[in-house]
Amino acid sequence: MSRKKILAGNWKMYKSINEARNWIRVFQGSKKGVLHVDILLFPAYTTIYPIGKEASKANISLGAQNLHEAEEGAYTGEVSGKMLVEAGADWVLIGHSERRILFGEHDERINLKVLRALISGLKPILCVGETLEEREANQQEDVVRRQLIEGLKDIHPDDLYQVVIAYEPVWAIGTGQTATPQDAQEMHSFIRSIIGSQWKSRIAESIRILYGGSVKPDNAKELFACPDIDGGLVGGASLKAETFLSILRAF
Ligand code: PEP
């Protein structure tokens, strides 16, 4: 089964609106020839609407880095799925390790967010991955299995076609330390097997699984050549359009 590749940039809490516009200008100027990859950017909430037109001209889809699980309500400081769609987001990151670790988001809440994203018409990217401690204790498969099964609980199988999984070992995020292509492939294949056994093999074959964790121009090619790696979720190296383009060329 051929799955369309994805290259996604998670800008975290970086980039003003002007910086984002400049990034798209540089990207647009030299991206020719790589139209077979879905390009997604995840800017700050406040940047999504202002850069919508430029992004769409450059064939870039936009997403948010989080959402609240409720439809609406008295949740000061939070943003709903409906608001994100209205602002021009098509995608949303859910369960990023920074949300899990720094903001205490647990599997049950992450699952509610995935459900809310789907109800709102957003395509969720569910992030999963073990910490260094868990890997050293050889618990990575148990952790990832739990995050997947809990995170995707109660989702209608037909809706799973809208979901993308990002395997992001926590010890590789922003550390410069990358999983070897062999380790990453092994985990991606394991994720696909869990999806196949919990849901349907047809879903497992078509669901896209991204690798994230210190993806750079010099390691992207080997990672993206692995049969179960359908692209990348890139943090630090997505902040410069030129570097992101070099990663894109790895496809
Ligand atoms: C991320 O934040 O999702 C990420 C993968 O970051 P980095 O590429 O900087 O490791």
Side-chain angles (χ1 to χ4, degrees):
M1 146 110 25
S2 91
R3 296 177 292 268
K4 193 171 182 194
K5 305 280 186 191
I6 294 180
L7 188 62
N10 174 14
W11 283 353
K12 311 191 185 201
M13 203 171 72
Y14 295 104
K15 284 204 189 299
S16 66
I17 293 166
N18 272 341
E19 287 167 342
R21 287 199 172 118
N22 283 335
W23 189 106
I24 294 176
R25 215 166 290 135
V26 174
F27 178 84
Q28 172 76 327
S30 31
K31 78 160 198 317
K32 288 163 198 69
V34 277
L35 295 172
H36 56 288
V37 178
D38 284 334
I39 308 291
L40 321 179
L41 284 181
F42 293 84
Y45 290 140
T46 47
T47 305
I48 297 172
Y49 184 74
I51 66 168
K53 278 200 186 117
E54 289 98 325
S56 143
K57 271 193 216 145
N59 275 317
I60 294 170
S61 300
L62 297 177
Q65 299 168 19
N66 187 24
L67 86 169
H68 194 273
E69 62 272 27
E71 184 182 359
E72 60 182 1
Y75 300 107
T76 302
E78 293 290 336
V79 175
S80 76
K82 194 171 155 193
M83 291 165 183
L84 293 173
V85 170
E86 202 178 19
D90 292 316
W91 294 83
V92 61
L93 292 180
I94 298 179
H96 189 280
S97 63
E98 284 152 17
R99 299 298 316 171
R100 291 180 191 261
I101 296 166
L102 304 175
F103 299 94
E105 292 190 10
H106 45 73
D107 291 325
E108 200 181 322
R109 184 149 189 226
I110 286 164
N111 173 243
L112 295 175
K113 289 181 183 229
V114 174
L115 288 164
R116 176 59 58 195
L118 290 165
I119 293 168
S120 310
L122 290 164
K123 286 175 273 214
I125 298 189
L126 172 64
C127 304
V128 297
E130 79 286 356
T131 62
L132 183 59
E133 228 176 26
E134 290 161 341
R135 180 158 278 261
E136 283 173 349
N138 203 26
Q139 293 168 342
Q140 64 272 21
E141 291 195 346
D142 293 341
V143 170
V144 168
R145 183 192 292 108
R146 191 205 70 229
Q147 290 175 340
L148 276 175
I149 294 175
E150 296 293 313
L152 298 175
K153 200 165 146 246
D154 297 334
I155 289 167
H156 191 283
D158 289 347
D159 285 339
L160 278 174
Y161 292 104
Q162 303 294 316
V163 176
V164 168
I165 306 295
Y167 169 57
E168 299 206 304
V170 180
W171 47 271
I173 296 184
T175 58
Q177 212 185 326
T178 324
T180 62
Q182 293 73 18
D183 284 347
Q185 164 57 27
E186 211 170 276
M187 184 57 92
H188 281 233
S189 160
F190 173 74
I191 291 173
R192 219 176 278 293
S193 74
I194 296 292
I195 307 264
S197 58
Q198 288 289 315
W199 292 279
K200 290 181 192 154
S201 57
R202 206 150 41 87
I203 300 173
E205 281 159 30
S206 66
I207 200 162
R208 292 181 286 178
I209 308 172
L210 312 182
Y211 171 79
S214 297
V215 174
K216 302 265 180 332
D218 58 1
N219 58 26
K221 201 168 178 179
E222 263 196 297
L223 285 163
F224 298 162
C226 297
D228 287 297
I229 299 184
D230 303 311
L233 175 55
V234 184
S238 72
L239 293 173
K240 277 199 174 147
E242 295 87 346
T243 318
F244 192 75
L245 278 159
S246 304
I247 295 174
L248 183 58
R249 290 194 191 102
F251 289 106

